[in-house]
Amino acid sequence: MTDDVKPSFTPRFTIAIDGPAAAGKGTLSRQIAHVYGFHHLDTGLTYRATAKALLDAGLPLNDESVAEKVAQTLDLAGLDRDVLSRHEIGEAASKVAVMPAVRRALVEAQRRFALKTPGTVLDGRDIGTVVCPDAPVKLYVTASSEVRARRRYDEIVARGEAADYLSILEDVKRRDERDMGRADSPLKPAADAHLLDTSEMSIEAAFQAAKTYIDAALRTH
Ligand code: DC
């Protein structure tokens, strides 16, 4: 074999990004996927799509075996962020996200997605701990609840809608409790995750920090 023969495949590379709601992980994940040419999956959308399918079909949100069947047939290619980002779908998603059978079905689909070449970025709550525990780069993106509520508030106001900062802050805290307190796959940083606190960091600074970790891991991959 000569030195310039390249392997006929590119090894896959997975970047796992976790953190609480509104910490900036979605923006960061999309930017990373774009810059590195990797496929991106916002796993929150898989829980949201499962909840929306139940709501649309008039099915109950508290029947685990019905929700499991819906999760098993979910098509990851058809996830529409604009439709799924509605507040009431987020509320419904957090109810199905506590069901172990739903999580099993969705984690299986997420792991299949993570096999795509040349690489993938998955973001959610349990990517580094459960979905892709062997990912060569794990980031845990966080920010204070006040900063996250302020960002949500600014987003809503920028759309020309009315918003109440204190009720958004309550909402952020309630979602943290639900995400961190559930028995199955609670939100927590993996032991080997790099922490990125974006409370006082611009998205560009967060991206540069992430890039340093990713480039170092790519060199040894
Ligand atoms: O990030 P999000 O708001 O789109 O997530 C919707 C719900 O799904 C939220 O209750 C957290 C939950 N979720 C989860 O349990 N595990 C993931 N990997 C992603 C989201």
Side-chain angles (χ1 to χ4, degrees):
M1 211 201 275
T2 58
D3 276 353
D4 59 3
V5 173
K6 297 231 167 66
S8 59
F9 65 95
T10 316
R12 317 177 248 279
F13 190 86
T14 300
I15 301 170
I17 304 184
D18 291 302
K25 65 182 188 306
T27 311
L28 183 65
S29 303
R30 283 192 292 279
Q31 190 178 1
I32 291 171
H34 176 73
V35 168
Y36 288 89
F38 289 174
H39 305 274
H40 171 230
L41 178 63
D42 171 353
T43 60
L45 295 184
T46 66
Y47 291 92
R48 286 172 179 265
T50 302
K52 181 172 185 295
L54 289 166
L55 292 172
D56 288 352
L59 292 166
L61 286 170
N62 59 359
D63 185 326
E64 187 159 351
S65 71
V66 170
E68 179 187 19
K69 285 194 187 72
V70 170
Q72 281 167 339
T73 55
L74 193 71
D75 176 10
L76 297 197
L79 301 172
D80 182 337
R81 198 158 77 95
D82 287 341
V83 173
L84 295 172
S85 64
R86 291 211 317 266
H87 184 74
E88 60 276 19
I89 296 179
E91 287 295 308
S94 73
K95 294 185 182 137
V96 301
V98 299
M99 297 172 169
V102 169
R103 301 200 70 85
R104 266 197 307 278
L106 294 181
V107 166
E108 203 182 298
Q110 292 159 12
R111 285 183 178 149
R112 276 198 304 274
F113 183 94
L115 297 176
K116 283 176 182 272
T117 54
T120 50
V121 181
L122 278 78
D123 75 271
R125 306 290 193 284
D126 60 343
I127 310 303
T129 50
V130 175
V131 181
C132 301
D134 298 327
V137 179
K138 297 179 185 175
L139 305 175
Y140 189 85
V141 185
T142 186
S144 72
S145 42
E146 287 76 15
V147 166
R148 289 184 285 131
R150 164 60 60 180
R151 286 184 191 150
R152 271 277 149 87
Y153 173 88
D154 290 344
E155 266 169 33
I156 298 170
V157 170
R159 287 201 300 265
E161 295 164 26
D164 174 40
Y165 171 77
L166 285 179
S167 70
I168 296 173
L169 180 61
E170 281 311 303
D171 200 50
V172 162
K173 288 183 174 167
R174 215 176 38 240
R175 289 191 57 179
D176 283 358
E177 269 170 33
R178 229 183 270 167
D179 287 343
M180 294 173 188
R182 70 169 171 246
D184 189 349
S185 314
L187 169 66
K188 61 171 182 216
D192 52 351
H194 301 287
L195 296 188
L196 283 181
D197 187 332
T198 66
S199 301
E200 291 176 24
M201 205 190 255
S202 67
I203 184 68
E204 188 49 33
F207 173 74
Q208 288 305 328
K211 187 171 182 299
T212 306
Y213 298 127
I214 296 166
D215 290 346
L218 275 171
R219 276 196 292 276
T220 58
H221 188 62

